[in-house]
Amino acid sequence: MTQNPQHISGVRENRALLVILMTCFGIILATSQPCQTPDDFVAATSPGHIMIGGLFAIHEKILSSEEHPRPEIHKCVSFEISIFLQTLAMIHSIEMINNSTLLSGVTLGYEIYDTCTEVTVTMATTLRFLSKLNCSRETVEFKCDYSSYTPKVKAVIGASYSEITMAVSRMLTLQLMPQVSYESTAEILSDKSRFPSFLRTVPSDFYQTKAMAHLIQKSGWNWIGMITTDDDYGRSALNTFAIHAAANNVCIPFKEVFPAFLSDNTIEVRINQTLEKIIAEAQVNVFVVFLRQFYVFVLFNIAIERNIKKIWIASDNWSTATKIATIPNVNRIGIVGFTFRRGNMSSFHSFLQNLHTFPRDNNKPLNEYVMLLSACAYAKDSDLSQCIFNHSLRTFIERNFSLRNDFLWDYTEPGLVHSIQLAVFALGYAIWDLCQARDFQSPNAFQPWELLDVLKNVTFSDGKNSFHFDAHGDLNTRYDVLLWKEINGHMTVTKMAEYDLQNDVFIFTDQETKNEFRNIKQIQSKCSKKCSPGQRKKTIKSQHICCYECVNCLENHYSNQTHMDHCLLCNNETHWAPAGSTICYEKEVEYLNWNDSLAILLLGLSLLGILFALAIGIIFTRNLSTPIVKSSGGLMVCYVILLCHFLNFVSTVFFIGEPQNFTCKTRLTLFHVSFTLCISCILMKSLKILLAFSFDPKLQNFLKSLYKPIPIILTCTGIQVVICTLWLIFAAPMEENVSFPRVIILEREEGSIIAFGTMLGYISILAFIYFIFAFKGRKLPENYNEAKFITFGMLIYFIAWITFIPMYATTFGKYLPATEIIFILISNYGILCCTFFPKCYVILWKQETNTKSAFLKMIYSYSSHSAGSLAMSQASLDFTNSSITMTSPRADGKSAASQKSKALQAQALAHIWRENSPGVSKTLPRKRISGI
């Protein structure tokens, strides 16, 4: 009779369901039973000459009766695969030492206990560690001195949670029993005054939180949330991270602290409340999470269900948890984590591959794993961990046990396994150092406190690197920075970088990981937008420094990066920047350049003046014998005056171009000396003409005594030379850079203003004397009358230099030397034109007046007029003096006046002609002269 296949299939499904229900019922009955004897505490044990204790949270929690509480310890539930693997890592490490030559002839034994993630259970197991060796009653003796006390174990490895570790450490401190933790990272455990017997093979949370803050700052985030538990571990992490975050200008506006222990009924409610707050904080997109794996598992399941996409920064407690990585759709959220640096895992991998051959006697976790694995034989690999967590049953099926060793390897956390290996190796090397001269096999060979002293200073190895504990009992290895990413449809935890604790830097493994990190940085988690280059952050009224507004940099300030706290100041001496600038611009150096149009114009005028002086010199040389040249004082005097004008025009060249010490000293010295010589020569020439046409005997005698041409010229010029020399020696002018907001003006600093004013004042005094002489001679004969032109030239000079003073005081920059050039040209052109242009006009276009006869006629007319005037003045004076005694004029009065006038005329004519025409006496008859 053939059976219906569907019926057979239904029967099998019913049988499988019946088996599962029966096993679940058995689990409930078994796990609700409290422990009966102290041995029920022991999870795994192996005998040895030297015993080492172990504390691992193999189960997540315990079942206790809340309705009728009693002082009893119940069984643990919720088997944790990852912690079970940590237990195997300790066993494997001890087996490695036992199989090595490190402790030849001595075997390390172990007693491993399940803490059930519960402080009370852990305290009970710690009492067994402290109980006296070979005591059948498992008692801890009370002593004042435990130096010779021999406890059951010599050292303890564990626990994982800092809250539990602290409680254990306080008890072990009573006997100074070494405690080496492989995962407890709370910073407070580094305090040796409170935990003197505690050491750990992992860094303190001080470094982990520092690395997190650095990563956050490096990613450009500054608006962060943090979720922790309300225990010593969570509070310590929160406080330490807050300090490092503030140092990196990172703010924590969102803080959520979960109770250390939540029941299954309340945890989802609390997490939902937290997620509501997270949704409300829309600008917070990055969260640092210091939670137990169970909390994170529930948190992520609900977050994924509610489609909350954030970046989560994982602490070492759950950063490599495969259980969390297998949550459905976990790829929707981004996870970056920190874990302890991994070591060589090949030996442990081989151990797992051969785990089915390992003895299960006295190893309850291994036996329980075998049963749970059999119960979940039909579960997929992705669901197996959760199945084991939720179920427990006895089984007689072993054939499936060896088929899932790869599953264990997938759940292995390499960083923690390496830390456990280092803890065992540290104890092994310390025991070897301590017992070299002792009996290894004797339980009383050493006491725990002696082992502690050696352990603090021991140097040990994992086969590749050497390690030692620092002064705080910490092992400061590097962190691995992890990135969770989806590969072939599965969430994979990959290494992105290493964090060097000593140098506070991230070391990326390759370019691909750098690109991955760059992609993470695209996530924005800030209170305010990023400030662009050219702006700075301005803090607004808020409790957080991360909230700010962006303002443009002020003038002469710049910012060349984004998100700068302050603008940088340009070097005001050489650079400038407009408001909102990203760079400093080099200031334009300004001076009267050769290419400047104004400079070209002034140079053209100076060149024209030089050409005028040369042309006048040529004209006078070609007409050397004419009366007009002779009446100008002679060719030598004219050459000297023209040379002075030439030098004055040349001096303007030194005012153009970049100021230098040589040009600053040369230009004014050359002008002042040459202009003084010019004024002195013209002054002597005017004095000579006044002397020639003076008919007052007293004035004539005074002028004769004053007229010393060469001494006076040398004296007048020498005084100016002395003034200039003193000026150059004691307060010489020099180049000076004057910095303005956008330009640097190169100009000349005059040195002593008093000396500069003295030079100008001295020239002004000479010019004024010259002006007086010129004014006195304004009525001389026309061909000799330079005075009215010179008077006009002096007026131009005085007006120019009086105007120069206020303009010099108010002008700056390249226009200052231009102003000086202009006034030099005005002065020079005024005197040159008024002195020589009328004579050149006569020479070139009035040649009929440039003859001896014309000059004699002009002199005769002038002398007749002057003599008549003088006679009339003399007659008036004589009449006044003799009016009292004279009653009537004499007939010969007119004749006397006429005779005197004729004598004066003859005298003037003879003097002038002797000066300018020495040979005239040979050509003119004496009768004509006497007649004149």
Side-chain angles (χ1 to χ4, degrees), residues 37-63:
T37 66
D39 288 336
D40 290 338
F41 284 111
V42 181
T45 183
S46 177
H49 299 104
I50 299 174
M51 297 297 293
I52 298 176
L55 296 173
F56 294 89
I58 302 171
H59 292 84
E60 180 68 27
K61 53 190 174 180
I62 60 173
L63 287 178

Side-chain angles (χ1 to χ4, degrees), residues 589-704:
V589 179
E590 187 175 280
Y591 55 88
L592 191 59
N593 201 299
W594 295 96
N595 299 325
D596 194 281
S597 57
L598 179 60
I600 294 173
L601 175 62
L602 296 177
L603 283 174
L605 293 175
S606 298
L607 180 61
L608 181 63
I610 292 173
L611 295 177
F612 279 158
L614 294 175
I616 292 171
I618 293 172
I619 292 172
F620 270 53
T621 302
R622 292 174 61 88
N623 297 275
L624 178 61
S625 60
T626 60
I628 197 70
V629 176
K630 295 179 179 180
S631 66
S632 298
L635 190 61
M636 186 57 64
V637 174
C638 292
Y639 279 166
V640 173
I641 295 174
L642 289 173
L643 176 62
C644 292
H645 284 298
F646 175 83
L647 294 176
N648 289 338
F649 285 121
V650 170
S651 68
T652 60
V653 176
F654 295 100
F655 286 85
I656 300 174
E658 184 176 349
Q660 298 179 359
N661 287 334
F662 173 75
T663 57
C664 291
K665 294 176 182 179
T666 301
R667 56 190 184 183
L668 282 180
T669 303
L670 180 61
F671 168 71
H672 287 143
V673 173
S674 59
F675 198 79
T676 301
L677 179 60
C678 177
I679 296 294
S680 300
C681 291
I682 297 175
L683 178 62
M684 286 299 98
K685 189 177 73 167
S686 300
L687 183 61
K688 178 181 179 180
I689 295 174
L690 279 177
L691 177 61
F693 287 94
S694 176
F695 301 109
D696 187 349
K698 293 182 180 180
L699 179 59
Q700 193 175 50
N701 291 333
F702 173 73
L703 292 177
K704 282 182 179 181

Side-chain angles (χ1 to χ4, degrees), residues 55 156 158-159 165 168-169 172 177-181 197-200:
L55 296 173
V156 175
T165 300
V168 172
S169 181
L172 297 181
M177 179 180 292
Q179 178 188 9
V180 184
S181 176
S197 64
F198 176 80
L199 301 99
R200 54 186 164 193

Side-chain angles (χ1 to χ4, degrees), residues 119-130:
V119 176
T120 306
V121 176
T122 309
M123 298 288 281
T125 59
T126 305
L127 289 174
R128 291 206 69 183
F129 290 148
L130 296 175

Side-chain angles (χ1 to χ4, degrees), residues 208-226 241-242 244-246 248-252 285-290 311-314 336 338 481 496 499 506 517 520-521 523-526 546 563:
Q208 182 174 198
T209 53
K210 183 179 181 180
M212 288 179 173
H214 189 180
L215 178 70
I216 291 169
Q217 184 270 338
K218 192 177 180 67
S219 302
W221 304 322
N222 67 0
W223 204 238
I224 304 301
M226 190 169 185
F241 178 75
H244 291 309
N248 286 275
N249 296 323
V250 174
C251 299
I252 313 174
N285 292 314
V286 178
F287 291 86
V288 176
V289 180
F290 279 84
I311 293 292
W312 308 88
I313 299 180
V336 178
F338 287 81
V481 184
M496 182 172 63
Y499 175 72
F506 290 97
F517 178 70
I520 295 173
K521 293 169 63 176
I523 303 297
Q524 296 295 317
S525 187
K526 296 181 178 181
C546 302
H563 218 58

Side-chain angles (χ1 to χ4, degrees), residues 616-895:
I616 292 171
I618 293 172
I619 292 172
F620 270 53
T621 302
R622 292 174 61 88
N623 297 275
L624 178 61
S625 60
T626 60
I628 197 70
V629 176
K630 295 179 179 180
S631 66
S632 298
L635 190 61
M636 186 57 64
V637 174
C638 292
Y639 279 166
V640 173
I641 295 174
L642 289 173
L643 176 62
C644 292
H645 284 298
F646 175 83
L647 294 176
N648 289 338
F649 285 121
V650 170
S651 68
T652 60
V653 176
F654 295 100
F655 286 85
I656 300 174
E658 184 176 349
Q660 298 179 359
N661 287 334
F662 173 75
T663 57
C664 291
K665 294 176 182 179
T666 301
R667 56 190 184 183
L668 282 180
T669 303
L670 180 61
F671 168 71
H672 287 143
V673 173
S674 59
F675 198 79
T676 301
L677 179 60
C678 177
I679 296 294
S680 300
C681 291
I682 297 175
L683 178 62
M684 286 299 98
K685 189 177 73 167
S686 300
L687 183 61
K688 178 181 179 180
I689 295 174
L690 279 177
L691 177 61
F693 287 94
S694 176
F695 301 109
D696 187 349
K698 293 182 180 180
L699 179 59
Q700 193 175 50
N701 291 333
F702 173 73
L703 292 177
K704 282 182 179 181
S705 62
L706 187 63
Y707 183 67
K708 299 290 188 294
I710 294 178
I712 290 179
I713 291 174
L714 293 178
T715 302
C716 292
T717 307
I719 293 174
Q720 186 68 289
V721 170
V722 171
I723 295 174
C724 291
T725 302
L726 294 175
W727 180 44
L728 294 176
I729 293 175
F730 296 105
M734 63 185 66
E735 59 177 317
E736 182 182 25
N737 298 343
V738 181
S739 182
F740 287 92
R742 298 192 179 186
V743 296
I744 296 175
I745 297 178
L746 301 183
E747 61 181 23
R748 178 202 65 199
E749 198 274 320
E750 301 295 351
S752 174
I753 299 298
I754 297 176
F756 180 65
T758 302
M759 288 187 291
L760 291 178
Y762 178 68
I763 294 177
S764 300
I765 292 172
L766 293 181
F768 182 75
I769 296 173
Y770 180 29
F771 175 77
I772 297 298
F773 284 174
F775 183 78
K776 293 289 289 183
R778 67 188 184 282
K779 296 180 180 180
L780 291 178
E782 182 178 354
N783 287 350
Y784 288 87
N785 192 6
E786 299 174 345
K788 58 184 177 182
F789 297 106
I790 295 300
T791 302
F792 182 71
M794 287 297 102
L795 286 175
I796 294 174
Y797 169 81
F798 282 122
I799 293 172
W801 287 97
I802 289 173
T803 309
F804 169 78
I805 294 174
M807 291 192 67
Y808 180 83
T810 57
T811 306
F812 63 91
K814 66 179 182 180
Y815 299 105
L816 182 59
T819 302
E820 295 181 88
I821 293 174
I822 291 172
F823 285 104
I824 289 175
L825 292 177
I826 292 174
S827 304
N828 220 25
Y829 269 113
I831 295 176
L832 178 67
C833 295
C834 293
T835 303
F836 291 101
F837 275 24
K839 297 183 183 298
C840 291
Y841 175 75
V842 172
I843 292 173
L844 297 176
W845 289 285
K846 292 288 186 178
Q847 295 181 4
E848 66 277 7
T849 62
N850 190 19
T851 61
K852 295 178 181 179
S853 58
F855 262 69
L856 288 175
K857 183 178 179 180
M858 177 272 298
I859 293 172
Y860 179 79
S861 174
Y862 175 79
S863 60
S864 298
H865 176 72
S866 299
S869 300
L870 183 60
M872 290 298 294
S873 300
Q874 186 66 35
S876 299
L877 183 59
D878 292 343
F879 176 77
T880 302
N881 293 333
S882 60
S883 60
I884 299 176
T885 58
M886 297 177 63
T887 56
S888 62
R890 293 187 304 187
D892 57 352
K894 182 177 179 181
S895 177

Side-chain angles (χ1 to χ4, degrees), residues 455-663:
L455 187 61
K456 290 179 179 179
N457 302 305
V458 71
T459 299
F460 55 96
S461 172
D462 63 351
K464 181 178 179 181
N465 300 308
S466 297
F467 304 90
H468 66 275
F469 297 103
D470 64 10
H472 303 289
D474 300 335
L475 199 65
N476 293 326
T477 58
R478 293 184 176 184
Y479 280 104
D480 284 344
V481 184
L482 307 176
L483 175 65
W484 290 32
K485 62 181 181 180
E486 188 176 14
I487 299 177
N488 298 326
H490 299 283
M491 182 61 71
T492 305
V493 181
T494 61
K495 178 180 177 181
M496 182 172 63
E498 288 185 3
Y499 175 72
D500 187 345
L501 280 65
Q502 305 303 324
N503 300 315
D504 191 23
V505 294
F506 290 97
I507 304 171
F508 291 92
T509 55
D510 51 40
Q511 186 61 42
E512 182 181 356
T513 58
K514 285 185 178 180
N515 295 334
E516 291 172 345
F517 178 70
R518 193 177 293 112
N519 294 334
I520 295 173
K521 293 169 63 176
Q522 301 302 319
I523 303 297
Q524 296 295 317
S525 187
K526 296 181 178 181
C527 176
S528 304
K529 67 176 184 178
K530 182 185 295 184
C531 292
S532 304
Q535 297 179 323
R536 67 172 179 87
K537 296 186 294 185
K538 180 182 179 182
T539 304
I540 59 179
K541 293 182 178 180
S542 171
Q543 61 176 336
H544 297 290
I545 62 171
C546 302
C547 298
Y548 53 84
E549 59 183 359
C550 298
V551 297
N552 288 335
C553 293
L554 300 176
E555 189 173 355
N556 291 328
H557 292 74
Y558 74 100
S559 62
N560 54 6
Q561 298 178 6
T562 58
H563 218 58
M564 292 189 67
D565 294 324
H566 60 277
C567 297
L568 305 176
L569 177 65
C570 297
N571 184 353
N572 287 334
E573 295 296 325
T574 58
H575 292 76
W576 71 281
S581 178
T582 60
I583 59 172
C584 288
Y585 298 95
E586 190 172 354
K587 289 185 178 181
E588 181 183 354
V589 179
E590 187 175 280
Y591 55 88
L592 191 59
N593 201 299
W594 295 96
N595 299 325
D596 194 281
S597 57
L598 179 60
I600 294 173
L601 175 62
L602 296 177
L603 283 174
L605 293 175
S606 298
L607 180 61
L608 181 63
I610 292 173
L611 295 177
F612 279 158
L614 294 175
I616 292 171
I618 293 172
I619 292 172
F620 270 53
T621 302
R622 292 174 61 88
N623 297 275
L624 178 61
S625 60
T626 60
I628 197 70
V629 176
K630 295 179 179 180
S631 66
S632 298
L635 190 61
M636 186 57 64
V637 174
C638 292
Y639 279 166
V640 173
I641 295 174
L642 289 173
L643 176 62
C644 292
H645 284 298
F646 175 83
L647 294 176
N648 289 338
F649 285 121
V650 170
S651 68
T652 60
V653 176
F654 295 100
F655 286 85
I656 300 174
E658 184 176 349
Q660 298 179 359
N661 287 334
F662 173 75
T663 57

Side-chain angles (χ1 to χ4, degrees), residues 302-407:
I302 300 176
I304 293 170
E305 182 182 341
R306 302 185 63 170
N307 198 29
I308 298 176
K309 298 180 180 179
K310 303 289 183 179
I311 293 292
W312 308 88
I313 299 180
S315 67
D316 56 73
N317 192 34
W318 63 273
S319 60
T320 57
T322 307
K323 176 181 176 180
I324 299 173
T326 56
I327 296 175
N329 300 317
V330 73
N331 59 320
R332 295 180 182 177
I333 59 179
I335 299 175
V336 178
F338 287 81
T339 189
F340 312 120
R341 189 177 183 181
R342 65 181 64 192
N344 186 356
M345 300 291 294
S346 59
S347 177
F348 186 65
H349 184 262
S350 299
F351 176 77
L352 293 181
Q353 292 294 325
N354 300 304
L355 187 60
H356 62 282
T357 64
F358 189 81
R360 298 204 303 272
D361 299 335
N362 300 320
N363 195 322
K364 294 178 182 178
L366 183 55
N367 285 318
E368 185 175 0
Y369 171 72
V370 171
M371 292 187 296
L372 293 173
L373 185 63
S374 299
C376 299
Y378 297 99
K380 297 179 181 179
D381 284 351
S382 59
D383 301 327
L384 182 57
S385 174
Q386 191 63 32
C387 177
I388 292 174
F389 183 81
N390 294 329
H391 298 86
S392 173
L393 77 124
R394 63 174 182 86
T395 182
F396 52 86
I397 305 175
E398 295 190 14
R399 61 180 183 275
N400 290 330
F401 173 67
S402 62
L403 301 178
R404 299 244 177 151
N405 290 339
D406 289 337
F407 164 75

